[in-house]
């Protein structure tokens, strides 16, 4: 289940980035809900908020480390849906954004105007971490 979820996140992420690159010009912004939500094509060379710009190797190492940690500890992970989904989304998001290593940047396009522009891999990472934290918070004392 974890690998299936990871592959779905990677496919959605890479497919959406490809569609954006094919259908838009860099820095083009299409208002979906004007002033609130736009589809804006940018190339992000840094992590959130401009941190670690041009650190291509670091991002690849982090994705590989996450994969290795999962491979080593996967048999110890609970079979709970939240854990399986969270791990899959986190892995999928990490590898979806590993295109930063290949191209020096990732395509971001969800633009809510009050938050930095992001992509589907970022959504996978955030939801994955939230699911794992929620599970830890509600089940660790058991």
């Amino acid at each position: 289940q974890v690998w299936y979820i990871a592959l779905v996140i990677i496919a959605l992420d890479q497919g959406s980035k490809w569609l954006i690159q094919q259908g838009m010009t860099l820095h083009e912004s299409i208002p979906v809900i004007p002033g609130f939500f736009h589809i804006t094509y940018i190339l992000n060379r840094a992590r959130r908020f401009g941190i670690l710009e041009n650190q291509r190797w670091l991002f690849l190492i982090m994705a590989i480390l996450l994969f290795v940690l999962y491979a080593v500890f996967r048999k110890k992970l609970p079979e709970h849906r939240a854990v399986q989904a969270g791990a899959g989304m986190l892995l999928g998001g990490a590898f979806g954004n590993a295109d930063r290593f290949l191209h020096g940047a990732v395509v971001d396009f969800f633009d809510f105007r009050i938050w930095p522009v992001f992509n589907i891999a970022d959504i996978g990472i955030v939801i994955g971490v939230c699911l794992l934290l929620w599970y830890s918070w509600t089940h660790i004392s058991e």
Side-chain angles (χ1 to χ4, degrees):
Q1 183 180 2
V2 170
W3 296 118
Y4 174 74
I5 292 169
L7 288 173
V8 168
I9 294 294
I10 293 167
L12 289 172
D13 179 66
Q14 293 299 304
S16 64
K17 289 173 180 175
W18 182 83
L19 287 171
I20 293 295
Q21 289 177 304
Q22 298 307 306
M24 298 179 71
T25 59
L26 190 59
H27 303 294
E28 180 181 356
S29 185
I30 301 169
V32 177
I33 302 172
F36 176 71
F37 175 61
H38 292 222
I39 300 296
T40 302
Y41 173 20
I42 68 163
L43 291 176
N44 182 352
R45 298 189 186 287
R47 287 189 59 180
R48 292 287 157 225
F49 312 115
I51 299 170
L52 298 174
E53 187 170 359
N54 297 316
Q55 298 299 313
R56 295 166 86 172
W57 283 100
L58 180 61
F59 294 108
L60 179 65
I61 290 168
M62 288 178 2
I64 291 170
L65 180 61
L66 187 60
F67 172 78
V68 169
L69 286 172
Y70 174 73
V72 168
F73 293 107
R74 75 178 187 272
K75 293 188 189 246
K76 294 183 181 190
L77 288 177
E79 289 295 322
H80 193 278
R81 287 182 187 173
V83 173
Q84 299 297 307
M89 295 182 92
L90 184 56
L91 283 167
F95 278 94
N97 274 343
D99 55 358
R100 181 184 317 270
F101 175 75
L102 298 172
H103 308 292
V106 293
V107 173
D108 283 337
F109 52 90
F110 291 123
D111 182 2
F112 281 92
R113 302 291 163 147
I114 59 169
W115 191 258
V117 183
F118 58 97
N119 60 42
I120 291 175
D122 297 329
I123 294 169
I125 291 168
V126 170
I127 293 175
V129 167
C130 288
L131 286 170
L132 294 171
L133 288 173
W134 173 82
Y135 178 85
S136 296
W137 185 21
T138 59
H139 290 81
I140 290 299
S141 62
E142 293 179 0

